[in-house]
């Protein structure tokens, strides 16, 4: 099927739902550790509490990718049914997660939230490849990265903004502050609204041969497991090489999401999360001491969350530059990604030397350049190296290279690696930096010319 060249606003509309998806991921990534620590988790248990996120991605994304390839709804098309279902579940989970009253409850909500976000997210990657001519795919994925940057910036600052507007960031021991609850509620509304916008403003190409499509769908019944393993066995070499890049990239970012809050509140602000067991809360003086320490931690958490929002701002600016360039000329995806990841690695390492909020802004600005590239360049390279008829399932399988490093990190990889440098939690950010630099250098493995830079030749 010959695909027409789409205008900017058409690409914007089909990608706009990612605003809500990123609100969900940014609130999850920026504040779940804060919720866990408020509910009594110690910092070394945080990665394990986070394991729900990558595990659900490992299970859900290949399934959704496989079945969305074989779906056609007369009104909603191929990918949009999954957008809608995932958005409804995600919005409900976002609203309720900060009302958790125990660690097991918060971990359970994280499991539901991440599974639901993945149901919506995976088909968005495939939709770009479905809708866009190959010459526009770098442009399309960069526009997605631009929207993701906006979502990261705004969502990461929501608890701080809500607090500035007069909502308290303090609460009783073991209770999540109201400012965080309202921020998650806003995220829930943005999630469902932005997904609905894409559903109502974007159509999809039907299968070229509907009868052949129906026959293929019937023939594939009961073959899910067999088909998945066959596709893994036939995975293109470029996809495997990109997997190495993804492995180190996502180990780094999982480390940031799970450990940046305790690392930076302690290292930069000397405000570790107070542990209830260390205080006799029946004693008035001890209760006052806990309240002072908790207030200091919550204030520091707002600042760290705000600083993390900067990586959304810089990824947005970087995506704008890439979008302008990709709309006019070919992008060397390999070199762009390599240098972006190395710059992000330097950003993580620089956090060790940060002493105030402005230093953190500078560090996260560099991290954002890597993030903007991670959200666009690997998918643009992959889409040029795989069979268009299997776009959904391969985009889902590509997620293995995202979630496996996160599972490894959650099962003790982060704690083991950072403690090789010492007991200070800030060393986790150093490990993230080293991993991102390795990810950048791993781009040298990629040799497929079509993946590196699409050409009409």
């Amino acid at each position: 099927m010959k695909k027409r060249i789409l205008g900017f606003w058409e690409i914007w509309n089909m990608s706009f739902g990612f605003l809500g998806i990123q609100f969900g991921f940014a609130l999850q990534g920026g504040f779940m550790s804060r919720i866990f620590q408020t509910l009594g988790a110690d910092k070394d248990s945080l990665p394990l509490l986070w394991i729900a996120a990558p595990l659900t991605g490992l299970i859900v994304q290949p399934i959704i990718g496989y079945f969305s390839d074989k779906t056609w709804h007369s009104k909603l098309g191929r990918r949009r049914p999954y957008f809608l279902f995932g958005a409804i579940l995600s919005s409900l989970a976002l609203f309720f997660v900060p009302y958790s009253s125990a660690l097991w409850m918060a971990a359970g909500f994280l499991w539901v939230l991440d599974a639901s976000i993945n149901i919506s997210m995976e088909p968005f990657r495939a939709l770009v490849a479905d809708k866009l001519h190959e010459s526009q795919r770098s442009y399309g994925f960069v526009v997605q990265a631009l929207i993701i940057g906006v979502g990261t910036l705004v969502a990461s600052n929501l608890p701080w903004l809500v607090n500035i507007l007069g909502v308290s960031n303090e609460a009783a021991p073991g209770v999540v502050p109201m400012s965080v609850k309202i921020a998650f509620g806003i995220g829930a509304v943005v999630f469902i609204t932005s997904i609905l916008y894409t559903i109502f403003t974007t159509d999809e190409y039907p299968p070229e041969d509907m009868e052949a499509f129906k026959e293929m769908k019937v023939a594939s019944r009961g073959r899910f497991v067999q088909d998945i393993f066959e596709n893994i066995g036939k995975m293109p070499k470029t996809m495997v090489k990109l997997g190495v890049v993804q492995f180190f990239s996502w180990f780094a970012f999982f480390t940031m999401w799970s450990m940046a809050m305790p690392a930076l509140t302690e290292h930069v602000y000397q405000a570790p999360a107070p542990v209830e067991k260390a205080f006799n809360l029946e004693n008035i003086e001890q209760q006052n001491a806990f309240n002072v320490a908790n207030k200091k931690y919550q204030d520091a958490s707002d600042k760290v969350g705000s600083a993390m929002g900067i990586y959304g701002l810089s990824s947005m600016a970087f995506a704008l530059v890439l979008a302008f360039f990709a709309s006019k000329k070919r992008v060397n995806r390999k070199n762009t990604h390599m240098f972006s990841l190395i710059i992000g690695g330097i950003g993580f390492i620089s956090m060790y030397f940060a002493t105030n909020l402005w230093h953190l802004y500078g560090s996260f600005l560099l991290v954002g350049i890597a993030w903007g590239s991670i959200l666009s360049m690997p998918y643009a390279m992959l889409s040029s190296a795989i069979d268009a008829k299997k776009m959904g399932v391969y985009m889902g399988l590509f997620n293995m290279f995202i979630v496996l490093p996160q599972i490894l990190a959650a099962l003790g990889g982060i704690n083991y690696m950072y403690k090789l440098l010492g007991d200070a939690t800030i060393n986790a950010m150093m490990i993230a930096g080293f991993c991102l630099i390795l990810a950048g250098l791993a781009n040298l493995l990629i040799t497929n010319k079509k993946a590196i830079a699409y050409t009409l030749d």
Side-chain angles (χ1 to χ4, degrees), residues 266-312:
E266 291 177 20
H267 183 71
V268 180
Y269 296 102
Q270 293 76 52
V275 180
E276 285 184 56
K277 294 177 182 177
F279 295 84
N280 177 11
L281 296 181
E282 294 180 1
N283 180 294
I284 296 297
E285 289 184 1
Q286 287 282 294
Q287 187 173 12
N288 289 337
F290 176 88
N291 290 338
V292 170
N294 188 47
K295 171 63 175 171
K296 188 176 181 182
Y297 169 71
Q298 299 295 349
D299 286 343
S301 295
D302 283 346
K303 291 175 182 177
V304 171
S306 177
M308 289 179 72
I310 292 297
Y311 87 86

CSV table of all heavy atoms in Angstrom, one decimal, residues 266-312:
chain,number,residue,atom,x,y,z
A,266,GLU,N,19.2,12.8,49.8
A,266,GLU,CA,20.3,12.6,50.8
A,266,GLU,C,21.5,13.4,50.4
A,266,GLU,O,22.1,14.1,51.2
A,266,GLU,CB,20.6,11.1,50.8
A,266,GLU,CG,19.6,10.2,51.5
A,266,GLU,CD,19.9,8.8,51.5
A,266,GLU,OE1,21.1,8.4,51.4
A,266,GLU,OE2,19.0,7.9,51.6
A,267,HIS,N,22.0,13.2,49.1
A,267,HIS,CA,23.3,13.8,48.7
A,267,HIS,C,23.3,15.3,48.6
A,267,HIS,O,24.2,15.9,49.0
A,267,HIS,CB,23.7,13.1,47.4
A,267,HIS,CG,25.1,13.5,47.0
A,267,HIS,ND1,26.2,13.1,47.6
A,267,HIS,CD2,25.5,14.3,45.9
A,267,HIS,CE1,27.3,13.6,47.0
A,267,HIS,NE2,26.9,14.3,45.9
A,268,VAL,N,22.3,15.8,48.0
A,268,VAL,CA,22.2,17.2,47.7
A,268,VAL,C,21.6,18.0,48.9
A,268,VAL,O,22.1,19.1,49.2
A,268,VAL,CB,21.5,17.5,46.4
A,268,VAL,CG1,21.4,19.0,46.1
A,268,VAL,CG2,22.1,16.8,45.2
A,269,TYR,N,20.6,17.5,49.5
A,269,TYR,CA,19.8,18.2,50.5
A,269,TYR,C,20.0,17.7,51.9
A,269,TYR,O,19.4,18.3,52.9
A,269,TYR,CB,18.3,18.2,50.1
A,269,TYR,CG,18.1,19.0,48.8
A,269,TYR,CD1,17.8,18.3,47.7
A,269,TYR,CD2,18.1,20.4,48.8
A,269,TYR,CE1,17.6,18.9,46.5
A,269,TYR,CE2,17.9,21.0,47.6
A,269,TYR,CZ,17.6,20.3,46.4
A,269,TYR,OH,17.4,21.0,45.3
A,270,GLN,N,20.7,16.6,52.1
A,270,GLN,CA,20.9,16.0,53.4
A,270,GLN,C,19.6,15.8,54.1
A,270,GLN,O,19.4,16.1,55.3
A,270,GLN,CB,21.9,16.9,54.3
A,270,GLN,CG,23.3,16.9,53.8
A,270,GLN,CD,23.5,17.8,52.6
A,270,GLN,OE1,23.1,19.0,52.6
A,270,GLN,NE2,24.1,17.3,51.5
A,271,ALA,N,18.6,15.3,53.3
A,271,ALA,CA,17.3,15.1,53.8
A,271,ALA,C,16.8,13.7,53.5
A,271,ALA,O,15.9,13.5,52.7
A,271,ALA,CB,16.3,16.1,53.2
A,272,PRO,N,17.3,12.7,54.1
A,272,PRO,CA,16.9,11.3,53.9
A,272,PRO,C,15.4,11.1,54.4
A,272,PRO,O,15.0,11.8,55.3
A,272,PRO,CB,17.9,10.4,54.7
A,272,PRO,CG,18.4,11.3,55.7
A,272,PRO,CD,18.4,12.7,55.1
A,273,ALA,N,14.7,10.2,53.8
A,273,ALA,CA,13.4,9.9,54.3
A,273,ALA,C,13.4,9.4,55.7
A,273,ALA,O,14.2,8.4,56.0
A,273,ALA,CB,12.7,8.9,53.4
A,274,PRO,N,12.7,10.0,56.7
A,274,PRO,CA,12.7,9.5,58.1
A,274,PRO,C,12.0,8.2,58.2
A,274,PRO,O,11.0,7.9,57.5
A,274,PRO,CB,11.9,10.6,58.8
A,274,PRO,CG,11.0,11.2,57.8
A,274,PRO,CD,11.7,11.1,56.5
A,275,VAL,N,12.6,7.3,59.0
A,275,VAL,CA,12.0,6.0,59.2
A,275,VAL,C,11.3,6.0,60.5
A,275,VAL,O,11.8,6.3,61.5
A,275,VAL,CB,13.1,4.9,59.2
A,275,VAL,CG1,12.5,3.5,59.4
A,275,VAL,CG2,13.9,4.9,57.9
A,276,GLU,N,10.0,5.6,60.4
A,276,GLU,CA,9.1,5.7,61.6
A,276,GLU,C,9.7,4.9,62.8
A,276,GLU,O,9.7,5.3,64.0
A,276,GLU,CB,7.7,5.1,61.3
A,276,GLU,CG,6.9,6.1,60.5
A,276,GLU,CD,5.5,5.5,60.3
A,276,GLU,OE1,4.8,5.2,61.3
A,276,GLU,OE2,5.0,5.4,59.2
A,277,LYS,N,10.3,3.7,62.5
A,277,LYS,CA,10.8,2.9,63.6
A,277,LYS,C,12.0,3.5,64.4
A,277,LYS,O,12.2,3.1,65.5
A,277,LYS,CB,11.4,1.6,63.0
A,277,LYS,CG,10.3,0.7,62.3
A,277,LYS,CD,10.9,-0.5,61.7
A,277,LYS,CE,9.8,-1.4,61.0
A,277,LYS,NZ,10.4,-2.6,60.3
A,278,ALA,N,12.6,4.5,63.8
A,278,ALA,CA,13.7,5.2,64.5
A,278,ALA,C,13.2,6.3,65.4
A,278,ALA,O,14.0,6.9,66.2
A,278,ALA,CB,14.6,5.9,63.4
A,279,PHE,N,11.9,6.5,65.4
A,279,PHE,CA,11.3,7.5,66.3
A,279,PHE,C,10.2,6.9,67.2
A,279,PHE,O,9.5,6.0,66.8
A,279,PHE,CB,10.6,8.6,65.5
A,279,PHE,CG,11.5,9.5,64.7
A,279,PHE,CD1,11.9,9.0,63.4
A,279,PHE,CD2,12.0,10.7,65.1
A,279,PHE,CE1,12.8,9.7,62.6
A,279,PHE,CE2,12.9,11.4,64.3
A,279,PHE,CZ,13.3,11.0,63.1
A,280,ASN,N,10.2,7.3,68.4
A,280,ASN,CA,9.1,6.9,69.4
A,280,ASN,C,8.0,8.0,69.2
A,280,ASN,O,8.0,9.0,69.9
A,280,ASN,CB,9.6,6.9,70.8
A,280,ASN,CG,8.5,6.5,71.8
A,280,ASN,OD1,7.4,6.1,71.4
A,280,ASN,ND2,8.8,6.7,73.1
A,281,LEU,N,7.0,7.6,68.3
A,281,LEU,CA,6.0,8.6,68.0
A,281,LEU,C,5.0,8.9,69.1
A,281,LEU,O,4.1,9.8,69.0
A,281,LEU,CB,5.3,8.2,66.7
A,281,LEU,CG,6.1,8.1,65.5
A,281,LEU,CD1,5.3,7.7,64.3
A,281,LEU,CD2,6.8,9.5,65.2
A,282,GLU,N,5.1,8.1,70.2
A,282,GLU,CA,4.2,8.4,71.4
A,282,GLU,C,4.8,9.5,72.2
A,282,GLU,O,4.1,10.1,73.1
A,282,GLU,CB,4.0,7.1,72.2
A,282,GLU,CG,3.3,6.0,71.4
A,282,GLU,CD,3.1,4.7,72.3
A,282,GLU,OE1,3.6,4.8,73.4
A,282,GLU,OE2,2.5,3.8,71.8
A,283,ASN,N,6.1,9.8,72.0
A,283,ASN,CA,6.8,10.9,72.7
A,283,ASN,C,6.6,12.1,71.9
A,283,ASN,O,6.9,12.2,70.7
A,283,ASN,CB,8.2,10.5,72.9
A,283,ASN,CG,9.0,11.5,73.6
A,283,ASN,OD1,9.2,12.6,73.1
A,283,ASN,ND2,9.5,11.2,74.8
A,284,ILE,N,6.2,13.2,72.5
A,284,ILE,CA,5.9,14.5,71.8
A,284,ILE,C,7.2,15.0,71.1
A,284,ILE,O,7.1,15.4,70.0
A,284,ILE,CB,5.3,15.6,72.8
A,284,ILE,CG1,3.9,15.1,73.3
A,284,ILE,CG2,5.2,16.9,72.0
A,284,ILE,CD1,2.9,14.9,72.2
A,285,GLU,N,8.3,15.0,71.9
A,285,GLU,CA,9.5,15.5,71.3
A,285,GLU,C,9.9,14.7,70.1
A,285,GLU,O,10.4,15.2,69.1
A,285,GLU,CB,10.6,15.5,72.4
A,285,GLU,CG,10.4,16.6,73.4
A,285,GLU,CD,11.6,16.6,74.4
A,285,GLU,OE1,12.5,15.8,74.2
A,285,GLU,OE2,11.5,17.4,75.4
A,286,GLN,N,9.8,13.4,70.2
A,286,GLN,CA,10.2,12.5,69.1
A,286,GLN,C,9.2,12.7,67.9
A,286,GLN,O,9.6,12.7,66.8
A,286,GLN,CB,10.1,11.0,69.6
A,286,GLN,CG,11.3,10.6,70.5
A,286,GLN,CD,12.5,10.4,69.7
A,286,GLN,OE1,12.6,9.4,68.9
A,286,GLN,NE2,13.5,11.2,69.9
A,287,GLN,N,7.9,12.9,68.2
A,287,GLN,CA,7.0,13.1,67.1
A,287,GLN,C,7.3,14.5,66.4
A,287,GLN,O,7.2,14.5,65.2
A,287,GLN,CB,5.6,13.2,67.7
A,287,GLN,CG,4.5,13.3,66.6
A,287,GLN,CD,3.1,13.2,67.2
A,287,GLN,OE1,2.9,13.2,68.4
A,287,GLN,NE2,2.1,13.0,66.4
A,288,ASN,N,7.7,15.5,67.2
A,288,ASN,CA,8.0,16.7,66.6
A,288,ASN,C,9.3,16.6,65.7
A,288,ASN,O,9.4,17.2,64.6
A,288,ASN,CB,8.3,17.8,67.6
A,288,ASN,CG,7.0,18.3,68.3
A,288,ASN,OD1,5.9,18.1,67.7
A,288,ASN,ND2,7.1,18.8,69.5
A,289,ALA,N,10.2,15.8,66.2
A,289,ALA,CA,11.5,15.6,65.5
A,289,ALA,C,11.2,14.8,64.2
A,289,ALA,O,11.8,15.1,63.1
A,289,ALA,CB,12.5,14.8,66.3
A,290,PHE,N,10.3,13.9,64.2
A,290,PHE,CA,9.9,13.2,63.0
A,290,PHE,C,9.2,14.1,62.0
A,290,PHE,O,9.5,14.1,60.8
A,290,PHE,CB,8.9,12.0,63.3
A,290,PHE,CG,8.4,11.3,62.1
A,290,PHE,CD1,9.1,10.2,61.6
A,290,PHE,CD2,7.2,11.7,61.5
A,290,PHE,CE1,8.6,9.6,60.4
A,290,PHE,CE2,6.7,11.1,60.3
A,290,PHE,CZ,7.4,10.0,59.8
A,291,ASN,N,8.3,15.0,62.5
A,291,ASN,CA,7.6,15.9,61.6
A,291,ASN,C,8.6,16.9,60.9
A,291,ASN,O,8.4,17.2,59.8
A,291,ASN,CB,6.6,16.7,62.4
A,291,ASN,CG,5.4,15.9,62.9
A,291,ASN,OD1,5.1,14.8,62.3
A,291,ASN,ND2,4.7,16.3,63.9
A,292,VAL,N,9.6,17.3,61.7
A,292,VAL,CA,10.6,18.2,61.1
A,292,VAL,C,11.4,17.5,60.0
A,292,VAL,O,11.6,18.0,58.9
A,292,VAL,CB,11.6,18.7,62.2
A,292,VAL,CG1,12.8,19.4,61.5
A,292,VAL,CG2,10.9,19.7,63.1
A,293,ALA,N,11.8,16.3,60.3
A,293,ALA,CA,12.6,15.5,59.3
A,293,ALA,C,11.7,15.1,58.1
A,293,ALA,O,12.2,15.2,56.9
A,293,ALA,CB,13.1,14.2,59.9
A,294,ASN,N,10.4,14.8,58.3
A,294,ASN,CA,9.5,14.5,57.2
A,294,ASN,C,9.3,15.7,56.3
A,294,ASN,O,9.2,15.6,55.1
A,294,ASN,CB,8.2,14.0,57.8
A,294,ASN,CG,7.3,13.4,56.7
A,294,ASN,OD1,7.8,12.6,55.8
A,294,ASN,ND2,6.1,13.8,56.7
A,295,LYS,N,9.1,16.9,57.0
A,295,LYS,CA,8.9,18.1,56.2
A,295,LYS,C,10.1,18.4,55.3
A,295,LYS,O,10.0,18.8,54.2
A,295,LYS,CB,8.6,19.3,57.2
A,295,LYS,CG,8.6,20.7,56.5
A,295,LYS,CD,7.5,20.8,55.5
A,295,LYS,CE,7.4,22.3,55.0
A,295,LYS,NZ,6.5,22.4,53.9
A,296,LYS,N,11.3,18.2,55.9
A,296,LYS,CA,12.5,18.5,55.1
A,296,LYS,C,12.6,17.5,54.0
A,296,LYS,O,13.0,17.9,52.8
A,296,LYS,CB,13.8,18.3,56.1
A,296,LYS,CG,15.1,18.7,55.4
A,296,LYS,CD,16.2,18.6,56.4
A,296,LYS,CE,17.6,19.0,55.8
A,296,LYS,NZ,18.7,18.9,56.7
A,297,TYR,N,12.3,16.2,54.2
A,297,TYR,CA,12.3,15.2,53.1
A,297,TYR,C,11.3,15.6,52.0
A,297,TYR,O,11.6,15.5,50.8
A,297,TYR,CB,12.0,13.8,53.7
A,297,TYR,CG,11.8,12.8,52.6
A,297,TYR,CD1,12.8,12.4,51.8
A,297,TYR,CD2,10.5,12.3,52.4
A,297,TYR,CE1,12.6,11.4,50.8
A,297,TYR,CE2,10.3,11.3,51.4
A,297,TYR,CZ,11.3,10.9,50.6
A,297,TYR,OH,11.1,10.0,49.6
A,298,GLN,N,10.0,15.9,52.4
A,298,GLN,CA,9.0,16.2,51.4
A,298,GLN,C,9.4,17.5,50.6
A,298,GLN,O,9.2,17.5,49.4
A,298,GLN,CB,7.6,16.4,52.1
A,298,GLN,CG,7.1,15.2,52.9
A,298,GLN,CD,6.8,14.0,52.0
A,298,GLN,OE1,6.8,14.1,50.8
A,298,GLN,NE2,6.6,12.8,52.6
A,299,ASP,N,9.9,18.5,51.2
A,299,ASP,CA,10.4,19.7,50.5
A,299,ASP,C,11.5,19.3,49.5
A,299,ASP,O,11.5,19.7,48.4
A,299,ASP,CB,10.9,20.7,51.5
A,299,ASP,CG,9.8,21.4,52.2
A,299,ASP,OD1,8.6,21.3,51.8
A,299,ASP,OD2,10.0,22.1,53.2
A,300,ALA,N,12.5,18.5,50.0
A,300,ALA,CA,13.6,18.1,49.1
A,300,ALA,C,13.0,17.2,48.0
A,300,ALA,O,13.5,17.3,46.8
A,300,ALA,CB,14.6,17.3,49.9
A,301,SER,N,12.0,16.4,48.2
A,301,SER,CA,11.4,15.5,47.2
A,301,SER,C,10.8,16.4,46.1
A,301,SER,O,10.9,16.1,44.9
A,301,SER,CB,10.4,14.6,47.8
A,301,SER,OG,11.0,13.7,48.7
A,302,ASP,N,10.1,17.5,46.5
A,302,ASP,CA,9.5,18.4,45.5
A,302,ASP,C,10.5,19.0,44.6
A,302,ASP,O,10.4,19.1,43.4
A,302,ASP,CB,8.7,19.5,46.3
A,302,ASP,CG,7.4,19.0,46.8
A,302,ASP,OD1,6.9,18.0,46.4
A,302,ASP,OD2,6.8,19.8,47.6
A,303,LYS,N,11.7,19.3,45.2
A,303,LYS,CA,12.8,19.9,44.4
A,303,LYS,C,13.4,18.9,43.5
A,303,LYS,O,13.7,19.2,42.3
A,303,LYS,CB,13.8,20.6,45.4
A,303,LYS,CG,13.3,21.8,46.1
A,303,LYS,CD,14.4,22.3,47.1
A,303,LYS,CE,13.8,23.4,47.9
A,303,LYS,NZ,14.8,23.9,49.0
A,304,VAL,N,13.6,17.7,44.0
A,304,VAL,CA,14.2,16.7,43.1
A,304,VAL,C,13.2,16.4,42.0
A,304,VAL,O,13.6,16.2,40.8
A,304,VAL,CB,14.5,15.4,43.9
A,304,VAL,CG1,14.9,14.3,43.0
A,304,VAL,CG2,15.7,15.7,44.9
A,305,GLY,N,11.9,16.3,42.3
A,305,GLY,CA,10.9,16.0,41.3
A,305,GLY,C,10.9,17.1,40.2
A,305,GLY,O,10.8,16.9,39.0
A,306,SER,N,11.0,18.4,40.7
A,306,SER,CA,11.1,19.5,39.8
A,306,SER,C,12.3,19.4,38.9
A,306,SER,O,12.3,19.7,37.7
A,306,SER,CB,11.1,20.8,40.6
A,306,SER,OG,11.2,21.9,39.7
A,307,ALA,N,13.5,19.1,39.5
A,307,ALA,CA,14.7,19.0,38.7
A,307,ALA,C,14.6,17.9,37.7
A,307,ALA,O,15.0,18.0,36.5
A,307,ALA,CB,15.9,18.7,39.6
A,308,MET,N,13.9,16.7,38.0
A,308,MET,CA,13.8,15.7,37.1
A,308,MET,C,12.9,16.1,35.9
A,308,MET,O,13.1,15.6,34.8
A,308,MET,CB,13.1,14.4,37.8
A,308,MET,CG,14.1,13.7,38.7
A,308,MET,SD,13.3,12.3,39.6
A,308,MET,CE,13.3,11.1,38.2
A,309,GLY,N,12.0,17.1,36.1
A,309,GLY,CA,11.2,17.6,35.0
A,309,GLY,C,12.0,18.2,34.0
A,309,GLY,O,11.6,18.3,32.8
A,310,ILE,N,13.2,18.7,34.3
A,310,ILE,CA,14.1,19.3,33.3
A,310,ILE,C,14.5,18.4,32.2
A,310,ILE,O,14.7,18.8,31.1
A,310,ILE,CB,15.4,19.9,34.0
A,310,ILE,CG1,14.9,21.1,34.9
A,310,ILE,CG2,16.4,20.4,33.0
A,310,ILE,CD1,14.3,22.3,34.2
A,311,TYR,N,14.6,17.1,32.6
A,311,TYR,CA,15.0,16.2,31.5
A,311,TYR,C,13.9,16.1,30.5
A,311,TYR,O,14.1,15.8,29.3
A,311,TYR,CB,15.5,14.8,32.0
A,311,TYR,CG,14.5,13.7,32.3
A,311,TYR,CD1,14.1,12.9,31.3
A,311,TYR,CD2,14.0,13.5,33.6
A,311,TYR,CE1,13.2,11.8,31.5
A,311,TYR,CE2,13.1,12.5,33.8
A,311,TYR,CZ,12.7,11.6,32.8
A,311,TYR,OH,11.8,10.6,33.1
A,312,GLY,N,12.6,16.3,30.9
A,312,GLY,CA,11.5,16.4,29.9
A,312,GLY,C,11.7,17.7,29.1
A,312,GLY,O,11.4,17.6,27.9
